[in-house]
Amino acid sequence: GAGVSQSPRYKVAKRGQDVALRCDPISGHVSLFWYQQALGQGPEFLTYFQNEAQLDKSGLPSDRFFAERPEGSVSTLKIQRTQQEDSAVYLCASSLTGTANGYTFGSGTRLTVV
Amino acid sequence: QKEVEQNSGPLSVPEGAIASLNCTYSDRGSQSFFWYRQYSGKSPELIMFIYSNGDKEDGRFTAQLNKASQYVSLLIRDSQPSDSATYLCAVNEAGGSQGNLIFGKGTKLSVKP
């Protein structure tokens, strides 16, 4: 596609519910990144894929967070047993060559846990 | 803890003036530096990146890097009301994966007509 597509755009979850956030990167982009942006903060790195391989997951805040990209294109970020502190905008970005020239963000998914 | 520091602002400048946005970083091994612009409720968009000490110009934007001082700045000439946004400084993490950018909290810029 023309840009990085994320869905849903907004998600309200009850505390304890599981959620799945989808990212469809720019066609041909091998690198895919997930970031979490809390209100008034800069984005914080969660995890990074090169094709289907998850090369870095050091930013995932707990074992409730899981990401996958099984076929090297679409990625899903799953959060189990959501907590209020998980409320944030989840940004996906893709790049042709890693971070060398920066990357393109999707519109994000705003998750609100109530 | 590797950090990127920015003044949160708001920084208010009149239309047509030069806006100067500053950023310091703690990781001396960082090699790549980025400026993103984020409008309220929107995702960040890349404005410029810089790797070498000195200045890099692109239209009305100039990025400046001083690795010895661990300082990077963004100058916006002839500021326009449409430049009003939050500007995020980002730095790659030395030794990290290619994906690991560390962002500052951003500086909110307001350009008054």
Side-chain angles (χ1 to χ4, degrees), chain A residues 71-93:
Chain A
E71 297 179 358
S73 57
V74 172
S75 176
T76 303
L77 176 67
K78 298 178 179 178
I79 308 173
Q80 297 177 324
R81 305 181 302 282
T82 52
Q83 304 294 316
Q84 283 191 320
E85 61 263 28
D86 300 335
S87 295
V89 175
Y90 290 85
L91 294 164
C92 176

Side-chain angles (χ1 to χ4, degrees), chain A residues 36-104:
Chain A
Q36 179 191 60
Q37 187 173 23
L39 190 63
Q41 304 294 314
E44 292 193 3
F45 173 80
L46 294 177
T47 187
Y48 161 57
F49 290 87
Q50 186 169 322
N51 296 305
E52 69 279 4
Q54 189 174 20
L55 298 186
D56 189 343
K57 56 181 181 179
S58 62
L60 296 176
S62 77
D63 59 7
R64 297 186 295 105
F65 286 71
F66 171 77
E68 61 182 3
R69 194 187 185 196
E71 297 179 358
S73 57
V74 172
S75 176
T76 303
L77 176 67
K78 298 178 179 178
I79 308 173
Q80 297 177 324
R81 305 181 302 282
T82 52
Q83 304 294 316
Q84 283 191 320
E85 61 263 28
D86 300 335
S87 295
V89 175
Y90 290 85
L91 294 164
C92 176
S94 72
S95 171
L96 193 58
T97 58
T99 60
N101 298 318
Y103 36 67
T104 302

Side-chain angles (χ1 to χ4, degrees), chain B residues 39-100:
Chain B
Y39 292 112
S40 180
K42 302 295 185 183
S43 60
E45 62 176 311
L46 181 67
I47 299 175
M48 292 190 69
F49 57 89
I50 186 168
Y51 307 135
S52 303
N53 278 328
D55 295 0
K56 178 181 179 182
E57 186 174 320
D58 184 1
R60 296 187 295 114
F61 299 96
T62 299
Q64 300 174 317
L65 175 61
N66 184 326
K67 290 185 179 179
S69 300
Q70 295 175 242
Y71 175 90
V72 58
S73 66
L74 179 70
L75 300 178
I76 306 174
R77 289 181 298 282
D78 188 24
S79 297
Q80 302 296 309
S82 58
D83 295 327
S84 298
T86 295
Y87 288 80
L88 298 164
C89 174
V91 173
N92 81 303
E93 181 179 8
S97 69
Q98 287 191 1
N100 199 354

